[in-house]
Amino acid sequence: MVNDSPDHSSDLLFLSGLYSRVARQLGVHPSYVSRVARGERRSDRVYRAIATELSKLRGAATIPPDTDIKDSRNSALKEVRQRLTKLFQADNRLRRLNAVIIDAEAVSPSRRQSVPRRVPAASLSARLASNARLMAVTVGAFERLSRKLERFPHVLSLLDSDGIVLYSTGTTGMARREHRIPGVDWSKDYRGISSAARAIAAGVPITVIGALELHGTLTPSVRLACPVRLSDGSIAGVLNLTIEITRARPDHMLEICKMARTVCKFVENGPMGAV
C-alpha cells in the first residue's frame, strides 16, 4: 500500500498544535476544540479563536465578520429549535399529559428582556412558611435530579401558585444568573414566555423551546414546567427545569411530571415513601 503519511502526518501535527493552543487559551480540552472545528459541536468563542490562530499563521486578518457568524449560528439554532419542537409534539406520552409545546421564537420573536421583580423579604418568608409541605418533598427530589443533570447547564426551580420562586438548585451560579433565586416573580413574561406562568394559567405541563439564551452556553434554553395540580383542580405550585436546548429531551418533561404527581400526593395526603 502506498503511504502518503508525511504530508498527512504534518497536517495532523499542525492541527494538533493549533487545537492545543486554542484549548490552553480558552481553558477547554483540545478534543472539544477539534470537535468544533469538525462541525460536531458549535461554539462561536472557539471558532473565533481558531480563526485568530490561523490568521496569525497566514499573516492576514481572516476572521469572519461577526454578522456571518451570527447568521450562521441563528440558522443552525432555528433548525435545532424546529426539530426539537417536532420531537416534543410527536411524543405520545406528552400528548397523554395534554402538554403544550411552544416554539418561543415562532410565537414571540426575540425582544428586549426585562429582569423579573423580587417580592419583599417578609412576603417570601410568609410564602415559605405556607408552602412548607411543598418544600419538604420537593427539595430532596430536586437534588437527586440535579445530580443526574450535573454535566449540563441547568436550573431546577420550585414556584408557588403565584409564580414566585421558593427554591432553586442546579449548576454553579446558574440559578442566580437566570433569576431563579427565591423571591423572584415569574408570574409574567419578563424574559420571554414564562413557562411557569403558562403552567399555572392552563393547569397543564408547558414546554417553551428557545425561550432565551442560557447563561454560560451558546444556545438558547428549553423551559419545562409542570403544575402541582391538586384533586380539587387548584394549583399548589410549579416545578420548573431550564436546560440547554441541545440537551433537552421529552424524558425530562416526563420526569418533572412524575415528580409533580408525587409532590401532589404528599401535599394532599401527608408523609409517604421516598420520592
Side-chain angles (χ1 to χ4, degrees):
M1 179 182 294
V2 177
N3 190 345
D4 57 354
S5 60
D7 289 340
H8 184 62
S9 296
S10 63
D11 288 342
L12 290 177
L13 288 173
F14 167 77
L15 292 174
S16 178
L18 186 147
Y19 296 159
S20 295
R21 288 195 298 276
V22 170
R24 285 195 298 271
Q25 292 170 15
L26 303 181
V28 298
H29 197 277
S31 64
Y32 176 70
V33 179
S34 174
R35 292 173 68 187
V36 171
R38 294 197 302 269
E40 296 175 5
R41 298 290 296 272
R42 299 193 62 85
S43 169
D44 291 353
R45 188 170 65 121
V46 173
Y47 179 74
R48 290 180 64 84
I50 292 173
T52 299
E53 286 297 314
L54 288 173
S55 70
K56 291 178 182 178
L57 294 171
R58 294 169 181 167
T62 57
I63 302 176
D66 287 344
T67 52
D68 290 349
I69 294 176
K70 184 177 180 180
D71 289 345
S72 176
R73 176 173 174 267
N74 288 342
S75 176
L77 289 178
K78 179 179 180 180
E79 182 180 342
V80 171
R81 197 181 69 245
Q82 292 175 339
R83 185 168 64 246
L84 190 60
T85 299
K86 291 179 180 179
L87 176 65
F88 272 72
Q89 290 175 338
D91 195 294
N92 288 327
R93 299 169 300 174
L94 296 184
R95 288 181 179 177
R96 287 194 290 270
L97 295 173
N98 295 317
V100 175
I101 316 301
I102 301 173
D103 181 341
E105 291 299 319
V107 174
S108 177
S110 297
R111 57 179 174 80
R112 184 176 177 81
Q113 299 168 347
S114 59
V115 176
R117 71 179 184 89
R118 294 184 65 180
V119 299
S123 175
L124 176 59
S125 296
R127 291 173 185 276
L128 292 172
S130 63
N131 288 283
R133 292 174 66 79
L134 189 65
M135 291 278 293
V137 68
T138 304
V139 171
F142 267 11
E143 294 296 333
R144 288 189 286 275
L145 179 55
S146 185
R147 284 196 292 271
K148 293 181 182 179
L149 300 173
E150 63 182 355
R151 291 179 299 165
F152 315 133
H154 73 278
V155 184
L156 283 159
S157 306
L158 169 65
L159 302 92
D160 68 9
S161 57
D162 293 325
I164 309 301
V165 178
L166 301 176
Y167 174 79
S168 287
T169 188
T171 47
T172 304
M174 196 67 71
R176 180 173 296 278
R177 293 192 293 266
E178 291 303 307
H179 303 287
R180 296 282 173 174
I181 59 177
V184 173
D185 182 356
W186 278 96
S187 62
K188 295 182 175 61
D189 297 343
Y190 294 106
R191 301 191 68 204
I193 298 174
S194 170
S195 56
R198 303 301 170 97
I200 292 171
V204 297
I206 301 288
T207 296
V208 180
I209 297 176
L212 76 162
E213 189 165 298
L214 189 61
H215 189 93
T217 73
L218 292 164
T219 54
S221 67
V222 172
R223 296 178 186 172
L224 310 166
C226 184
V228 179
R229 188 171 182 176
L230 305 181
S231 57
D232 62 2
S234 63
I235 305 298
V238 177
L239 308 184
N240 190 95
L241 168 63
T242 303
I243 189 169
E244 184 183 352
I245 193 170
T246 58
R247 305 296 184 179
R249 298 291 183 271
D251 284 347
H252 291 139
M253 173 58 92
L254 293 171
E255 191 152 7
I256 291 294
C257 291
K258 179 181 178 181
M259 189 185 300
R261 288 194 296 270
T262 303
V263 171
C264 177
K265 291 178 182 178
F266 182 90
V267 171
E268 290 195 315
N269 304 320
M272 55 187 174
V275 181

